[in-house]
Amino acid sequence: MTDLFSPITAGPFDLPHRVVMAPMTRNRAEEGNAPHSLNAKYYKQRSDAALIITEATQVCPEGMGYPGTPGIHSDAQIDGWRAVTDAVHETGGRIILQLWHVGRISHPDLQPGGTEPVAPSAIQPAGEAMTLSGMKPFVTPRALETAELPALVETYRTAAKNADMAGFDGVEVHGANGYLLDQFTRDSTNKRDDVYGGSVENRCRLPLEITDAVVDVWGADRVGYRISPFQPYNDISDSDPEATFCYLTTELAKRNLVYLHMVEMGGNEETGDFLSGRNKLFAKLRDLWPNTLITNGGYDRAKADAVIGGGLADMVSFGAPYLANPDLAERLHSGAAYNEPDRATFYGGSAKGYTDYPFLGD
Ligand code: PHB
């Protein structure tokens, strides 16, 4: 029976098990939003993951939506990430960079020149942005002009090249959680009347053009894509998630990407849990996806074995448990107890709650 500890080959990666470190925002980049030695230590500590997927990393200054998140658009950031990838590789790990643009989930305080954030359409999200001077209501974003979109695709292409220079093993296109590409994909946030809005084909156009540019740089077998079809986070929804995500998944499958990374959040409540197969859309997307499917959402060992054993997913990514347990794969394997994550140190700060969680045997 295949389980969480069955080896797996995903594209060029021969992996000893199926435990993935999920991308997690930690807001601990330094001057110029560049990673530094503490970030290298944090990722190196977690290199027993089959794959580490980094925290979301902005592809350009306009793509930033929170203080202290790292970028991949400057020389200092490339150098900082190089130290991270070297550290992970020293211990035999593999690390994928998540390419991010927040779109409207930002604030003029975080934008170059203090201008409005950009989005597919000028629709203000409900909620508040995290700025350097506290939480502030989101503003109405500026709708991107059609003529600006080719340059945005090139921005992702450049970021993908930078990720290669920084020594990553691959990249994940962040298409989830209400950020820019999800804002284009789903119809509550995309009211455009050009070829990038309206039909599902049009709404998926920019995400797919960006994916194609990233694949040009890396080859499809080192590019993954993250979706969150059920996720309401960041004030987003879709009137027909099945049509939207079946189309997107089919198109991504044609491109033969190495993996699809699914965020389950929001799906259990509305449409039945994933393990039982009662979530019909999850099962459909599985059927449409021929390559590795990584799923995410509150898993423990037993649930991970069940979802993999049942063929619904091939790998499972863990967020908070990885944050608090640098040797999570070993603990999942041996059944050892977990360190509890401390929410107060999730976002920002220094080594406390970041690199000081004990290993087994400490
Ligand atoms: C966050 O910083 O809150 C965040 C970032 C990226 C995600 C989800 C949440 O995909």
Side-chain angles (χ1 to χ4, degrees), residues 53 96 98-99 156 171-176 180-185 203-204 206-212 214-215 220 222-228 245 248-249 252-253 255 257-263 289 292-294:
I53 302 166
I96 308 276
Q98 195 192 52
L99 298 173
Y156 272 82
V171 290
E172 174 173 294
V173 176
H174 192 343
L180 184 69
L181 302 191
D182 206 20
Q183 291 160 29
F184 269 87
T185 300
R203 284 182 277 118
C204 292
L206 182 74
L208 291 169
E209 286 179 357
I210 283 170
T211 301
D212 288 338
V214 172
V215 166
R222 287 179 186 270
V223 177
Y225 195 99
R226 196 170 207 219
I227 60 172
S228 56
F245 287 94
L248 180 63
T249 300
L252 293 171
R255 288 158 174 84
L257 302 191
V258 61
Y259 69 75
L260 182 68
H261 190 178
M262 163 84 75
V263 178
W289 186 253
T292 299
L293 194 145
I294 306 174

Side-chain angles (χ1 to χ4, degrees), residues 23 25 27 56 66 69 98 100 174 176-177 179 226 233-234 347:
T25 293
N27 311 79
Y66 307 82
T69 58
Q98 195 192 52
W100 191 34
H174 192 343
N177 295 342
Y179 297 109
R226 196 170 207 219
Y233 179 64
N234 286 327
Y347 306 113

Side-chain angles (χ1 to χ4, degrees), residues 151-282:
L152 191 56
V153 174
E154 293 314 303
T155 296
Y156 272 82
R157 186 191 306 275
T158 302
K161 288 181 184 161
N162 291 346
D164 188 22
M165 282 195 279
F168 284 97
D169 298 294
V171 290
E172 174 173 294
V173 176
H174 192 343
N177 295 342
Y179 297 109
L180 184 69
L181 302 191
D182 206 20
Q183 291 160 29
F184 269 87
T185 300
R186 292 206 259 177
D187 65 8
S188 73
T189 41
N190 184 340
K191 305 290 184 193
R192 299 179 70 88
D193 56 13
D194 63 0
V195 296
Y196 292 93
S199 65
V200 60
E201 291 81 0
N202 282 355
R203 284 182 277 118
C204 292
R205 191 178 306 280
L206 182 74
L208 291 169
E209 286 179 357
I210 283 170
T211 301
D212 288 338
V214 172
V215 166
D216 276 350
V217 175
W218 277 93
D221 66 350
R222 287 179 186 270
V223 177
Y225 195 99
R226 196 170 207 219
I227 60 172
S228 56
F230 316 98
Q231 175 73 282
Y233 179 64
N234 286 327
D235 192 22
I236 198 164
S237 63
D238 195 276
S239 60
D240 189 351
E242 179 169 336
T244 297
F245 287 94
C246 285
Y247 174 78
L248 180 63
T249 300
T250 301
E251 286 300 312
L252 293 171
K254 283 184 195 162
R255 288 158 174 84
N256 204 25
L257 302 191
V258 61
Y259 69 75
L260 182 68
H261 190 178
M262 163 84 75
V263 178
E264 294 181 9
M265 186 86 76
N268 293 348
E269 295 82 350
E270 281 169 27
T271 38
D273 75 69
F274 290 72
L275 286 173
S276 66
R278 280 189 289 118
N279 188 307
K280 296 283 183 295
L281 177 52
F282 185 82

Side-chain angles (χ1 to χ4, degrees), residues 91-113:
T91 42
R94 291 149 294 263
I95 181 165
I96 308 276
L97 182 73
Q98 195 192 52
L99 298 173
W100 191 34
H101 190 308
V102 298
R104 66 180 190 156
I105 303 301
S106 185
H107 189 275
D109 287 7
L110 295 159
Q111 291 291 309

